[in-house]
Amino acid sequence: MKILIIEDEPIINDYMRALLQDDYQVVSSFDASGAIKIIEEGDVELILCDIILGHESGFSVLEYIQNHGFKIPTVMLTALDDEQSLTTAYDLGAVDYIVKPVNKQILKMKVRNLQTYLKPKDNELEIDTNLFVVKINGVDINLTNIEYEIFALLSSAPDRVFTKDNLIDTIWHGNHSMSNRIVDTNIFNLRKKLGHKSELIKTKRGVGYYYENKK
């Protein structure tokens, strides 16, 4: 998930970025105009925006999002405790707020909850280890047993590259009398059935395959 932090105080901006960047893709801006340019570039999925941005206001960011049809959940950062400011933020489309100084646990919890409940669910992928099936948007994509085992193995260790020998040792129980080509064939068929989610299975040229861990 790509998060945009809009905070004019460098120390707070850097602090929040450091808290989130291990788990998410994080970009930041120190003012509203810079933030709008980032929003226009696309792919921002969550915004954390201070209400007071020097001589500007975080409300202007909310107005821009609302007026230009962007569907980006926005959490306001505020040291203000007056009801009117928060009411204005909600009227302009804010979904939540965090009181400054920012509490580490509260920040991470709210971001995690928003990712769960507000992030679009298109092409959601699910691995059901009880039924040994893989589903996209709740629909079984009908993998063979071998294809399922390959996908389950790769996804169990994101970003770890499995060589063809690794896969044969695990999936085919070390039967190296068969050609390594059987691995390529099953990966090809697996990607075809995954459709848009095929991008999760990456090739490490000359080495093997891995499941890409997308934040």
Side-chain angles (χ1 to χ4, degrees), residues 150-161:
I150 291 173
F151 189 73
L153 177 62
L154 295 178
S155 61
S156 70
D159 296 329
R160 173 188 165 184
V161 178

Side-chain angles (χ1 to χ4, degrees), residues 154 191 198-204 208-212 214:
L154 295 178
R191 283 171 166 161
S198 63
E199 64 183 13
L200 291 171
I201 307 299
K202 299 294 187 182
T203 301
K204 182 70 172 180
Y209 300 98
Y210 66 97
Y211 181 97
E212 184 178 45
K214 290 197 170 186

Side-chain angles (χ1 to χ4, degrees), residues 2-180:
K2 184 175 181 178
I3 300 174
L4 168 60
I5 297 171
I6 312 169
E7 167 60 62
D8 65 324
E9 297 184 40
I11 292 177
I12 299 177
N13 196 311
D14 291 345
Y15 170 70
M16 293 176 62
R17 188 183 185 114
L19 288 177
L20 298 172
Q21 64 185 3
D22 286 345
D23 299 306
Y24 307 97
Q25 180 184 358
V26 183
V27 293
S28 64
S29 177
F30 298 99
D31 54 54
S33 57
I36 288 172
K37 290 180 181 178
I38 294 173
I39 293 169
E40 288 175 341
E41 292 172 358
D43 299 329
V44 173
E45 297 172 84
L46 174 65
I47 295 174
L48 306 174
C49 181
D50 196 9
I51 286 183
I52 300 175
L53 297 168
H55 300 297
E56 299 177 287
S57 167
F59 296 147
S60 63
V61 176
L62 288 173
E63 289 173 344
Y64 176 85
I65 291 170
Q66 190 176 73
N67 292 337
H68 289 77
F70 289 97
K71 305 295 183 183
I72 309 173
T74 302
V75 177
M76 304 308 291
L77 310 171
T78 179
L80 304 174
D81 57 2
D82 65 293
E83 185 175 313
Q84 183 57 50
S85 294
L86 294 177
T87 298
T88 299
Y90 282 121
D91 285 345
L92 291 172
V95 299
D96 203 348
Y97 70 94
I98 297 175
V99 176
K100 297 165 68 176
V102 176
N103 177 279
K104 176 173 69 174
Q105 284 76 25
I106 292 295
L107 173 65
K108 289 188 171 184
M109 178 192 69
K110 292 204 173 190
V111 169
R112 184 174 62 249
N113 287 346
L114 284 165
Q115 181 182 28
T116 300
Y117 295 109
L118 296 178
K119 187 177 179 181
K121 300 299 183 180
D122 292 343
N123 296 319
E124 183 176 343
L125 185 145
E126 173 190 357
I127 304 174
D128 190 327
T129 56
N130 293 317
L131 297 176
F132 303 102
V133 298
V134 176
K135 300 179 181 180
I136 296 178
N137 290 337
V139 179
D140 185 351
I141 61 173
N142 195 29
L143 300 181
T144 65
N145 290 339
I146 293 295
E147 290 163 358
Y148 171 81
E149 289 180 21
I150 291 173
F151 189 73
L153 177 62
L154 295 178
S155 61
S156 70
D159 296 329
R160 173 188 165 184
V161 178
F162 288 83
T163 67
K164 293 177 184 180
D165 284 343
N166 291 152
L167 292 170
I168 289 175
D169 285 339
T170 305
I171 307 300
W172 286 274
H173 309 292
N175 183 6
H176 290 275
S177 62
M178 63 180 65
S179 168
N180 283 350

